[in-house]
Amino acid sequence: MIIGTSNALITAVVVWFMMDVLHINYLWSNITGYSAALLNNFFWSKFWIFSSGKGNYLRESALFLIAFLCSYVSQFSCLLAMVEILKWNEYLSQFLGLFVYGGVNFLMNKKITFRHTSA
């Protein structure tokens, strides 16, 4: 929960700053926010959440990137649907997208990326 919260905070702060302070489109703000949290997420996932330690960095990095892309596409699709189809508030939609991303990302990393070491 601590790592998920820290990633959500990194993402939310970057998205908010870009949308509210820099007045950048919600889509570009979203891409930048999730990219900013990517390295933080890999480090903590590898060394704390799934404790894979000195596991194969190349394999885990590649699988982690695939998990990130799948999670991000899921979140981004939901974001677009909420804002463009349902006409929901962009900030609320960004917030709700964090849960979509977090759920897909955790499951993919647990079942695929770090499966050899997770419980």
Side-chain angles (χ1 to χ4, degrees):
M1 289 177 68
I2 294 169
I3 304 312
T5 301
S6 73
N7 286 327
L9 285 173
I10 291 168
T11 303
V13 167
V14 170
V15 167
W16 168 81
F17 181 79
M18 292 185 70
M19 287 176 63
D20 221 46
V21 176
L22 300 178
H23 306 289
I24 294 176
N25 177 283
Y26 78 98
L27 299 173
W28 287 110
S29 299
N30 183 272
I31 292 167
T32 305
Y34 280 88
S35 297
L38 179 63
L39 289 176
N40 179 63
N41 193 11
F42 178 75
F43 175 80
W44 289 113
S45 291
K46 178 169 182 54
F47 292 105
W48 192 19
I49 297 173
F50 302 106
S51 302
S52 74
K54 294 184 179 184
N56 184 335
Y57 276 97
L58 185 58
R59 177 188 170 280
E60 290 174 347
S61 296
L63 290 173
F64 191 84
L65 186 57
I66 291 168
F68 169 78
L69 291 172
C70 290
S71 304
Y72 185 75
V73 166
S74 299
Q75 175 276 145
F76 196 75
S77 299
C78 287
L79 174 67
L80 286 175
M82 288 184 279
V83 173
E84 301 299 330
I85 297 170
L86 299 174
K87 304 297 184 198
W88 290 3
N89 178 279
E90 294 172 2
Y91 291 94
L92 173 62
S93 300
Q94 295 277 13
F95 175 72
L96 295 174
L98 289 168
F99 295 98
V100 174
Y101 173 86
V104 173
N105 190 264
F106 178 80
L107 288 174
M108 289 193 72
N109 283 317
K110 179 178 176 137
K111 300 293 184 185
I112 299 169
T113 307
F114 302 109
R115 75 173 180 261
H116 59 287
T117 59
S118 61

